[in-house]
Amino acid sequence: MNDRHTTERGRIRIVGFDDANANRSDNDASDDDDTDGATPADSGAGPATTAETETMSASTLRQPGRRLENAWRRFRRNQSGMAGLAVLVVMAVLAVFARPITVSTTEVTITLQPFSLAPYDPAAMFVGPANAPPSPAHPFGTDWAGRDQFSRVLVGGRYTLSIGLVAVGLALCVGVPLGAIAGYFGGWIDEAIMRVVDVLYAFPFLVLAIAIVPILEPVPILGSGYWTVVVALAVTGWVGYARLLRGEVLSVREREYVTAARALGVPDRTIIRRHVVPNAVAPVVVQATLNVGTVVLTAAALGFLGLGLEPGSAEWGAMLAQGRSSLLRGDWHITVFPGLAIFLFVLAINLVGDGINDAIEPDRDATDDRRRIR
Amino acid sequence: MAGNSVGSGEHNRLRRRSFLTRAGALGVAGLAGCLSFDSATADGPATELIEEGFATADIEPPFETTIAITQGEERNRFAQLLQSELNGTGFFDVEIESRDFGSHIESMLSAADTEENAIFVASWTGGWDPSNYVTMLFHSEYQTPNGLNVGHYENETVDEYIDAGLTETDSDDRVEIYRNLQQELVSDSPASFVRFREATHVWDGDVVSDWQTYPLQPGSYYAVYAPWAGVYTDLENETEFVGDLGSDVSNYDPVKINGTVSSQATALVYEQLVGIDFDGEVQPMLATDWEQLDATTYRFSLREGVQFHNGEKLTATHVKRSFQRYEGTTRESDVYDWYESSTIIDDHTIEINCKREYGPFETALFNVAIVPLAAIDGELDLQEEPIGTGPYRFVEHESGNHWRLRRFDDHWFTGDEAVPATPPIETVTLEIITEQSSRQAALERGDLHFSYNLPSASLSDFEENDDYGVGRRVSGGFDMILYPCYLPPFSEPSVRRGCNMLVPRERTLENVYHGIGQLAYSPVSPLLEDYAGESFQQEIANEYVRST
Amino acid sequence: MSLGRYVGRRLAITVPVLVGVSVLTFSFVHLLPGDAVDALVGFRDVSPATEAAIRAEYHLGQPVWNQYLLWLRDAVTLEFGESPVTGRDVTATIGSRLPATLALGGAAWLLALAIGIPAGIVTAVKAGEPADELGRIAALAGIATPNFWLGLILLFVFSVRLGWVRVIPPDAPLASIATAKFLVLPTITLGTAAAALVMRLLRSSIRRELDAPYVTTARAKGLPERTVVLKHVLRNALLPVVTIAGLQLAFLVDGAVVVEGIFSWPGMGRLLVRSILRRDYPLIQAIVLLIGVAIVLANLLVDVIYAILDPRIRY
């Protein structure tokens, strides 16, 4: 995990261009076009410097393609990260193929996905005895209305995955641009946006959610349930990303390539979009990945308070919350399976997030963190 | 070149996969509700009625609507069962919307004005008089927001019956009136009645040997000591009784009380002129005797030697001014709906005049607490400390934690064969527990001696357990579905009738409430046996609900 | 810049933030559908005169502007008026619930630090070994468990099945052994996620610090590893933990709402939820304002402490 072990000896290391070295050594490892055995690393100072300058200039222009490749390669070496990713992929596949996906208007019905892994329709009631423990016919048992838990857990993945991704996605769409603008332009724009961020930070999420949900209810498009929860989560989530990104942007904007771009007359908009944000976005990506997990847990807590999705939804958190009285009765199967599902999902997401963290920024300077956060 | 150009193949695969996930999930989430239905065919009397109504109202099935409920596990489940039934006919496409209590009430009050497209599930608690069950809900004068006639239902016959019931004092005639009224209401179906609730009391058999279950929730704790009803409870090896309350007590002042829990907590503190006992009979409380002088005047003899917790002695002035105190408050209709004036004859005699002949007179008296003059004059704030004449006086209320009462030694009761002069229980502590599972856990562990609101699923377990006593009585509450009569197709009685036949009453009672409660077909609770006994309910069911 | 100027500057910035918090508090309460009078009166039949009188009593007829200013003026002197629902003084109500909230929140926070810091140090130092893996998995498990589920399970196992602890708070003063015993389960429920976060943060922070030159120097000087870590590295590595200490306040409030319900703990979380449901305006505003101000001030304090400890950030 520590890229300081290079084969180059006696070289002066210049901190801040680590990515250049990483790119170089990785390129060397994978590039078949290189001359056999004559890697620049082993030769003397001359060709090394030239090669280094070349790759340096290439990487100072920041080829995201290359960088992503390298990050992916590093990620692949991380066992727990890969395990987490595998779990997520399996969950996603199960969610997609759980029940058929169809699009229909009044005349036409298009089936996007015809497979059905779930044996029963998750909303079909009384397909089995109520509150039955796990059995061959119903591997996860049935709930109070005789609905098959196995089918519901499978289909529930859709809600969980989509809520997590959509809520975080929306929050990013708001937080990243605002954070970038604040960090890049500085001055009163920065102050204004950061004060708004501070104000919102003073409200704990559930306080805002409890208030937002009844406010959003009368709005026609939203109604209760899915979109209300997602919007509530997004509205409160963007704040963290804005602040984080702003901090990163503050240091990135001092980099030479930005100055160069400015000098060339590239418009600010393009600079932000193409140069600043891609280089600053790394910790935000890590945070966002981790937040998918917290978002799912928060949606579950909202379900517990009764503010969540439409009653009867097969969402894991809702199933967990609605089944809580059965815990005391001894019907363990009603809460254990959705609970395990959430647990696995959040665990996997966190492993992936950690993996991404290690893959993208192996050597972050801790002292800069504090300044960036304020 | 630099920029966000898509890089290597692996990168592509990653994006494609997550795109699919997103699309699939979003697709499902966004299209929720677009299930394919059985086509809308009429294959039974219920659906035929609905089809007829749709045709008259010129509506194309499926009709999209919402079931609006408040939060709560059982409410939730009932809504799901109803949704499944309605969607199954093919005539409806129903969604469920769960709101917090405040928003729910809010939307019910404004529903007709905003023409909201929703079916409301609500609970109503009547009392000891049949008028409590119908007036606010179905009389055209009480259309929201001045009452709870949410659907803005208007039916002259119904109005006539309700008015007649209120002004008739002969009990046989009243029974006749209310039976006709119920027939009319069920055949027109402005609401569907689903289940009559039961009061379910569970107590720790080791501590509480015998307990009487009062059917109405505000009176749950009368069993502690109610000499006027001939009931009291003794504890074994204990002088403190620990019960529970489902939510925090909010207001202690009778003219401001706005919740069942507050009434429940103060039931042992305040007293009234008369009381309705555990069998529904009127008993003297602060009044010893009364007679009806003419159609609108009654003379009461007041009990002597009654002391308030603050030392004042009860006189007719207290009674008169306690009544007058309701004017200008949120609960003024409790009194001023029928009360005209009162005349003090002497210290212990008072005459009360009603605006008109009033059938539920005695029941209404049971609602008016008599309070000390110090409170009426403003020296004492009842919102800080409730003071009455009851057998227990207020000790403390730790917000969110507990409510405590202690025996009042100067209570007026001098004892008889049934009930001792001094209440055996010295302290009554009611713990405030909002989470139902916690309530059950507390009872099981012994932290509570008594609970009145356990989850219905656990009740059978307690019944089988000899260590616990369970009391069940049909109470004055019912669950109902209110139709938006202002909105087609629900403006058509046939649609409402049809839906009424489809309501999954048996399933709900069985699977959601685990058998606790009784099937309801008409509004008045079987608690009032004369007006809505078992056989009457069956008649109604056979005629209007069961497929004939 | 000097410490004094830095603090002054941050203080100056805090003022508009506080104003913003107050405006937001006031406005979203008014965005809630329905108002206190509707909630109070409900469907009861009251005369229009009565309704008008109630409205006037709570200033509800006035333009929103005025209401805000009146409220703000009173809030500064901690006078939040009477609750229309209970008729009792709002400040007194909050005052009665505040100690309980502080007790639970404080205990959870201390637990988070007491477990998170040692665990973070151990897993950082023993990186790669089984102890580290175990620690990481435990932390992830702590984060991934929904807190209400954890609470219910703990309640079920330790209170109902084993009977070791009460289900509802004992009838004893806050600062007593009985209450402390009762608080164990809620504190664990509330503090687990926070402890896990602290542990992870400290671990990555220490690992970063261990690469710094001064560590190499210290080791070269021959100092035992223990001294290096505990005496030098820890001081620097704790800084990010200090940073999030302010944010933790918000997380704790979130968790408290749920935990208080399960354990029937009379804190402010439940009070807040109830007051929102009942549209008890004055109470909602008072609590939310209190929480908001507390968080802002906590963050300010954290900034100042950080500035004292690390002069580099005083740009």
Side-chain angles (χ1 to χ4, degrees), chain C residues 23 25-27 46 71 75-76 80 139 167 185 189 206 241 248 253 256 259 265 272 285 295 311:
Chain C
V23 169
T25 309
F26 185 80
S27 47
V46 294
W71 173 69
V76 173
F80 292 100
V167 175
L185 289 184
T189 312
I206 290 183
V241 176
Q248 295 252 309
V253 172
V259 170
W265 182 253
L272 180 62
Q285 288 166 341
I295 293 180

PDB file of all heavy atoms in Angstrom, chain C residues 23 25-27 46 71 75-76 80 139 167 185 189 206 241 248 253 256 259 265 272 285 295 311:
ATOM      1  N   VAL C  23     -33.315  32.321  11.458  1.00  0.00           N
ATOM      2  CA  VAL C  23     -34.287  32.522  10.375  1.00  0.00           C
ATOM      3  C   VAL C  23     -34.800  31.190   9.855  1.00  0.00           C
ATOM      4  O   VAL C  23     -36.002  30.993   9.669  1.00  0.00           O
ATOM      5  CB  VAL C  23     -33.650  33.325   9.210  1.00  0.00           C
ATOM      6  CG1 VAL C  23     -34.569  33.304   7.999  1.00  0.00           C
ATOM      7  CG2 VAL C  23     -33.382  34.744   9.642  1.00  0.00           C
ATOM      8  N   THR C  25     -34.847  28.297  11.370  1.00  0.00           N
ATOM      9  CA  THR C  25     -35.692  27.675  12.399  1.00  0.00           C
ATOM     10  C   THR C  25     -37.093  28.240  12.341  1.00  0.00           C
ATOM     11  O   THR C  25     -38.074  27.508  12.310  1.00  0.00           O
ATOM     12  CB  THR C  25     -35.128  27.968  13.801  1.00  0.00           C
ATOM     13  OG1 THR C  25     -33.763  27.639  13.842  1.00  0.00           O
ATOM     14  CG2 THR C  25     -35.894  27.183  14.840  1.00  0.00           C
ATOM     15  N   PHE C  26     -37.156  29.542  12.334  1.00  0.00           N
ATOM     16  CA  PHE C  26     -38.456  30.185  12.346  1.00  0.00           C
ATOM     17  C   PHE C  26     -39.258  29.851  11.102  1.00  0.00           C
ATOM     18  O   PHE C  26     -40.450  29.543  11.172  1.00  0.00           O
ATOM     19  CB  PHE C  26     -38.252  31.694  12.442  1.00  0.00           C
ATOM     20  CG  PHE C  26     -39.527  32.454  12.578  1.00  0.00           C
ATOM     21  CD1 PHE C  26     -40.158  32.547  13.802  1.00  0.00           C
ATOM     22  CD2 PHE C  26     -40.119  33.050  11.482  1.00  0.00           C
ATOM     23  CE1 PHE C  26     -41.348  33.237  13.929  1.00  0.00           C
ATOM     24  CE2 PHE C  26     -41.301  33.736  11.603  1.00  0.00           C
ATOM     25  CZ  PHE C  26     -41.914  33.835  12.829  1.00  0.00           C
ATOM     26  N   SER C  27     -38.593  29.889   9.935  1.00  0.00           N
ATOM     27  CA  SER C  27     -39.365  29.712   8.710  1.00  0.00           C
ATOM     28  C   SER C  27     -39.825  28.295   8.461  1.00  0.00           C
ATOM     29  O   SER C  27     -40.943  28.098   8.000  1.00  0.00           O
ATOM     30  CB  SER C  27     -38.604  30.236   7.495  1.00  0.00           C
ATOM     31  OG  SER C  27     -37.281  29.768   7.518  1.00  0.00           O
ATOM     32  N   VAL C  46     -65.925  25.470  17.662  1.00  0.00           N
ATOM     33  CA  VAL C  46     -65.758  26.642  18.513  1.00  0.00           C
ATOM     34  C   VAL C  46     -66.262  27.860  17.765  1.00  0.00           C
ATOM     35  O   VAL C  46     -66.217  27.915  16.542  1.00  0.00           O
ATOM     36  CB  VAL C  46     -64.286  26.870  18.934  1.00  0.00           C
ATOM     37  CG1 VAL C  46     -63.806  25.753  19.813  1.00  0.00           C
ATOM     38  CG2 VAL C  46     -63.409  27.017  17.723  1.00  0.00           C
ATOM     39  N   TRP C  71     -40.330  37.142  18.121  1.00  0.00           N
ATOM     40  CA  TRP C  71     -39.781  35.904  18.639  1.00  0.00           C
ATOM     41  C   TRP C  71     -38.294  36.048  18.937  1.00  0.00           C
ATOM     42  O   TRP C  71     -37.810  35.647  20.002  1.00  0.00           O
ATOM     43  CB  TRP C  71     -40.014  34.783  17.609  1.00  0.00           C
ATOM     44  CG  TRP C  71     -39.346  33.507  17.961  1.00  0.00           C
ATOM     45  CD1 TRP C  71     -39.676  32.673  18.982  1.00  0.00           C
ATOM     46  CD2 TRP C  71     -38.221  32.934  17.305  1.00  0.00           C
ATOM     47  NE1 TRP C  71     -38.823  31.597  19.004  1.00  0.00           N
ATOM     48  CE2 TRP C  71     -37.928  31.734  17.978  1.00  0.00           C
ATOM     49  CE3 TRP C  71     -37.424  33.305  16.214  1.00  0.00           C
ATOM     50  CZ2 TRP C  71     -36.888  30.902  17.585  1.00  0.00           C
ATOM     51  CZ3 TRP C  71     -36.394  32.472  15.830  1.00  0.00           C
ATOM     52  CH2 TRP C  71     -36.125  31.287  16.527  1.00  0.00           C
ATOM     53  N   ALA C  75     -36.354  35.524  22.347  1.00  0.00           N
ATOM     54  CA  ALA C  75     -35.448  34.381  22.404  1.00  0.00           C
ATOM     55  C   ALA C  75     -34.115  34.773  23.011  1.00  0.00           C
ATOM     56  O   ALA C  75     -33.493  33.994  23.746  1.00  0.00           O
ATOM     57  CB  ALA C  75     -35.243  33.818  21.009  1.00  0.00           C
ATOM     58  N   VAL C  76     -33.660  35.970  22.686  1.00  0.00           N
ATOM     59  CA  VAL C  76     -32.358  36.395  23.187  1.00  0.00           C
ATOM     60  C   VAL C  76     -32.341  36.403  24.714  1.00  0.00           C
ATOM     61  O   VAL C  76     -31.311  36.124  25.330  1.00  0.00           O
ATOM     62  CB  VAL C  76     -31.999  37.781  22.622  1.00  0.00           C
ATOM     63  CG1 VAL C  76     -30.741  38.289  23.267  1.00  0.00           C
ATOM     64  CG2 VAL C  76     -31.824  37.680  21.127  1.00  0.00           C
ATOM     65  N   PHE C  80     -39.273  32.024  25.772  1.00  0.00           N
ATOM     66  CA  PHE C  80     -39.930  31.473  24.589  1.00  0.00           C
ATOM     67  C   PHE C  80     -41.427  31.391  24.738  1.00  0.00           C
ATOM     68  O   PHE C  80     -42.101  30.814  23.916  1.00  0.00           O
ATOM     69  CB  PHE C  80     -39.358  30.085  24.288  1.00  0.00           C
ATOM     70  CG  PHE C  80     -37.932  30.132  23.833  1.00  0.00           C
ATOM     71  CD1 PHE C  80     -36.902  29.861  24.706  1.00  0.00           C
ATOM     72  CD2 PHE C  80     -37.626  30.499  22.536  1.00  0.00           C
ATOM     73  CE1 PHE C  80     -35.582  29.920  24.295  1.00  0.00           C
ATOM     74  CE2 PHE C  80     -36.312  30.570  22.113  1.00  0.00           C
ATOM     75  CZ  PHE C  80     -35.290  30.280  22.994  1.00  0.00           C
ATOM     76  N   ALA C 139     -15.319  -2.265  13.758  1.00  0.00           N
ATOM     77  CA  ALA C 139     -15.729  -0.887  13.489  1.00  0.00           C
ATOM     78  C   ALA C 139     -16.773  -0.843  12.386  1.00  0.00           C
ATOM     79  O   ALA C 139     -17.783  -0.152  12.493  1.00  0.00           O
ATOM     80  CB  ALA C 139     -14.514  -0.049  13.092  1.00  0.00           C
ATOM     81  N   VAL C 167     -36.305  -1.853  32.000  1.00  0.00           N
ATOM     82  CA  VAL C 167     -36.750  -1.474  30.656  1.00  0.00           C
ATOM     83  C   VAL C 167     -37.029   0.013  30.596  1.00  0.00           C
ATOM     84  O   VAL C 167     -36.803   0.676  29.593  1.00  0.00           O
ATOM     85  CB  VAL C 167     -38.018  -2.263  30.281  1.00  0.00           C
ATOM     86  CG1 VAL C 167     -38.553  -1.800  28.952  1.00  0.00           C
ATOM     87  CG2 VAL C 167     -37.738  -3.737  30.265  1.00  0.00           C
ATOM     88  N   LEU C 185     -27.251   0.602  28.558  1.00  0.00           N
ATOM     89  CA  LEU C 185     -27.707   0.146  27.246  1.00  0.00           C
ATOM     90  C   LEU C 185     -27.933   1.285  26.250  1.00  0.00           C
ATOM     91  O   LEU C 185     -27.468   1.217  25.120  1.00  0.00           O
ATOM     92  CB  LEU C 185     -28.979  -0.696  27.384  1.00  0.00           C
ATOM     93  CG  LEU C 185     -28.811  -2.072  28.005  1.00  0.00           C
ATOM     94  CD1 LEU C 185     -30.140  -2.809  27.978  1.00  0.00           C
ATOM     95  CD2 LEU C 185     -27.767  -2.879  27.283  1.00  0.00           C
ATOM     96  N   THR C 189     -25.948   1.853  22.660  1.00  0.00           N
ATOM     97  CA  THR C 189     -26.661   1.982  21.390  1.00  0.00           C
ATOM     98  C   THR C 189     -26.283   3.267  20.677  1.00  0.00           C
ATOM     99  O   THR C 189     -26.016   3.281  19.489  1.00  0.00           O
ATOM    100  CB  THR C 189     -28.178   1.984  21.631  1.00  0.00           C
ATOM    101  OG1 THR C 189     -28.523   0.909  22.490  1.00  0.00           O
ATOM    102  CG2 THR C 189     -28.920   1.838  20.329  1.00  0.00           C
ATOM    103  N   ILE C 206      -3.188   8.329  12.413  1.00  0.00           N
ATOM    104  CA  ILE C 206      -1.909   7.884  12.990  1.00  0.00           C
ATOM    105  C   ILE C 206      -1.030   7.275  11.915  1.00  0.00           C
ATOM    106  O   ILE C 206       0.181   7.525  11.856  1.00  0.00           O
ATOM    107  CB  ILE C 206      -2.144   6.857  14.114  1.00  0.00           C
ATOM    108  CG1 ILE C 206      -2.770   7.540  15.325  1.00  0.00           C
ATOM    109  CG2 ILE C 206      -0.836   6.191  14.505  1.00  0.00           C
ATOM    110  CD1 ILE C 206      -2.964   6.603  16.496  1.00  0.00           C
ATOM    111  N   VAL C 241      -9.598  14.141  14.890  1.00  0.00           N
ATOM    112  CA  VAL C 241     -10.645  13.683  15.806  1.00  0.00           C
ATOM    113  C   VAL C 241     -11.291  14.876  16.482  1.00  0.00           C
ATOM    114  O   VAL C 241     -12.506  14.937  16.647  1.00  0.00           O
ATOM    115  CB  VAL C 241     -10.052  12.724  16.868  1.00  0.00           C
ATOM    116  CG1 VAL C 241     -11.116  12.334  17.865  1.00  0.00           C
ATOM    117  CG2 VAL C 241      -9.505  11.498  16.190  1.00  0.00           C
ATOM    118  N   GLN C 248     -19.927  15.645  15.653  1.00  0.00           N
ATOM    119  CA  GLN C 248     -20.546  14.528  16.363  1.00  0.00           C
ATOM    120  C   GLN C 248     -21.813  14.953  17.085  1.00  0.00           C
ATOM    121  O   GLN C 248     -22.729  14.167  17.248  1.00  0.00           O
ATOM    122  CB  GLN C 248     -19.563  13.976  17.394  1.00  0.00           C
ATOM    123  CG  GLN C 248     -18.331  13.356  16.792  1.00  0.00           C
ATOM    124  CD  GLN C 248     -18.351  11.849  16.932  1.00  0.00           C
ATOM    125  OE1 GLN C 248     -18.562  11.351  18.016  1.00  0.00           O
ATOM    126  NE2 GLN C 248     -18.132  11.150  15.857  1.00  0.00           N
ATOM    127  N   VAL C 253     -27.547  13.926  18.203  1.00  0.00           N
ATOM    128  CA  VAL C 253     -28.950  14.328  18.280  1.00  0.00           C
ATOM    129  C   VAL C 253     -29.810  13.408  17.420  1.00  0.00           C
ATOM    130  O   VAL C 253     -30.863  12.943  17.839  1.00  0.00           O
ATOM    131  CB  VAL C 253     -29.142  15.788  17.825  1.00  0.00           C
ATOM    132  CG1 VAL C 253     -30.617  16.122  17.732  1.00  0.00           C
ATOM    133  CG2 VAL C 253     -28.456  16.715  18.788  1.00  0.00           C
ATOM    134  N   ALA C 256     -30.169  10.189  19.108  1.00  0.00           N
ATOM    135  CA  ALA C 256     -30.916  10.294  20.361  1.00  0.00           C
ATOM    136  C   ALA C 256     -32.414  10.176  20.124  1.00  0.00           C
ATOM    137  O   ALA C 256     -33.121   9.584  20.932  1.00  0.00           O
ATOM    138  CB  ALA C 256     -30.590  11.608  21.055  1.00  0.00           C
ATOM    139  N   VAL C 259     -33.082   6.489  19.991  1.00  0.00           N
ATOM    140  CA  VAL C 259     -32.741   5.761  21.215  1.00  0.00           C
ATOM    141  C   VAL C 259     -33.660   6.145  22.372  1.00  0.00           C
ATOM    142  O   VAL C 259     -34.067   5.310  23.169  1.00  0.00           O
ATOM    143  CB  VAL C 259     -31.259   6.018  21.572  1.00  0.00           C
ATOM    144  CG1 VAL C 259     -30.928   5.476  22.949  1.00  0.00           C
ATOM    145  CG2 VAL C 259     -30.367   5.363  20.544  1.00  0.00           C
ATOM    146  N   TRP C 265     -36.446   7.215  27.416  1.00  0.00           N
ATOM    147  CA  TRP C 265     -35.596   8.162  28.131  1.00  0.00           C
ATOM    148  C   TRP C 265     -36.142   9.567  27.911  1.00  0.00           C
ATOM    149  O   TRP C 265     -36.315   9.982  26.770  1.00  0.00           O
ATOM    150  CB  TRP C 265     -34.163   8.027  27.633  1.00  0.00           C
ATOM    151  CG  TRP C 265     -33.196   8.905  28.324  1.00  0.00           C
ATOM    152  CD1 TRP C 265     -32.595  10.029  27.821  1.00  0.00           C
ATOM    153  CD2 TRP C 265     -32.699   8.762  29.648  1.00  0.00           C
ATOM    154  NE1 TRP C 265     -31.764  10.597  28.749  1.00  0.00           N
ATOM    155  CE2 TRP C 265     -31.815   9.825  29.888  1.00  0.00           C
ATOM    156  CE3 TRP C 265     -32.927   7.839  30.672  1.00  0.00           C
ATOM    157  CZ2 TRP C 265     -31.141   9.985  31.093  1.00  0.00           C
ATOM    158  CZ3 TRP C 265     -32.259   8.001  31.872  1.00  0.00           C
ATOM    159  CH2 TRP C 265     -31.388   9.058  32.066  1.00  0.00           C
ATOM    160  N   LEU C 272     -38.873  16.898  20.896  1.00  0.00           N
ATOM    161  CA  LEU C 272     -38.881  17.591  19.620  1.00  0.00           C
ATOM    162  C   LEU C 272     -39.841  16.933  18.637  1.00  0.00           C
ATOM    163  O   LEU C 272     -40.664  17.596  18.003  1.00  0.00           O
ATOM    164  CB  LEU C 272     -37.465  17.587  19.042  1.00  0.00           C
ATOM    165  CG  LEU C 272     -37.308  18.282  17.703  1.00  0.00           C
ATOM    166  CD1 LEU C 272     -37.648  19.739  17.830  1.00  0.00           C
ATOM    167  CD2 LEU C 272     -35.898  18.127  17.195  1.00  0.00           C
ATOM    168  N   GLN C 285     -39.530  25.756  17.934  1.00  0.00           N
ATOM    169  CA  GLN C 285     -38.535  26.781  17.642  1.00  0.00           C
ATOM    170  C   GLN C 285     -37.464  26.845  18.711  1.00  0.00           C
ATOM    171  O   GLN C 285     -36.273  26.964  18.418  1.00  0.00           O
ATOM    172  CB  GLN C 285     -39.216  28.140  17.514  1.00  0.00           C
ATOM    173  CG  GLN C 285     -40.002  28.240  16.243  1.00  0.00           C
ATOM    174  CD  GLN C 285     -40.944  29.411  16.267  1.00  0.00           C
ATOM    175  OE1 GLN C 285     -41.267  29.943  17.313  1.00  0.00           O
ATOM    176  NE2 GLN C 285     -41.377  29.818  15.102  1.00  0.00           N
ATOM    177  N   ILE C 295     -24.577  23.641  18.299  1.00  0.00           N
ATOM    178  CA  ILE C 295     -23.665  23.082  17.295  1.00  0.00           C
ATOM    179  C   ILE C 295     -22.732  24.156  16.757  1.00  0.00           C
ATOM    180  O   ILE C 295     -21.517  23.933  16.608  1.00  0.00           O
ATOM    181  CB  ILE C 295     -24.457  22.427  16.149  1.00  0.00           C
ATOM    182  CG1 ILE C 295     -25.181  21.195  16.670  1.00  0.00           C
ATOM    183  CG2 ILE C 295     -23.532  22.036  15.021  1.00  0.00           C
ATOM    184  CD1 ILE C 295     -25.996  20.487  15.621  1.00  0.00           C
ATOM    185  N   PRO C 311      -0.802  26.239  14.630  1.00  0.00           N
ATOM    186  CA  PRO C 311      -0.801  27.623  14.154  1.00  0.00           C
ATOM    187  C   PRO C 311      -0.828  27.769  12.647  1.00  0.00           C
ATOM    188  O   PRO C 311      -1.160  28.820  12.130  1.00  0.00           O
ATOM    189  CB  PRO C 311       0.507  28.193  14.712  1.00  0.00           C
ATOM    190  CG  PRO C 311       0.945  27.239  15.776  1.00  0.00           C
ATOM    191  CD  PRO C 311       0.382  25.911  15.413  1.00  0.00           C
TER     192      PRO C 311
END
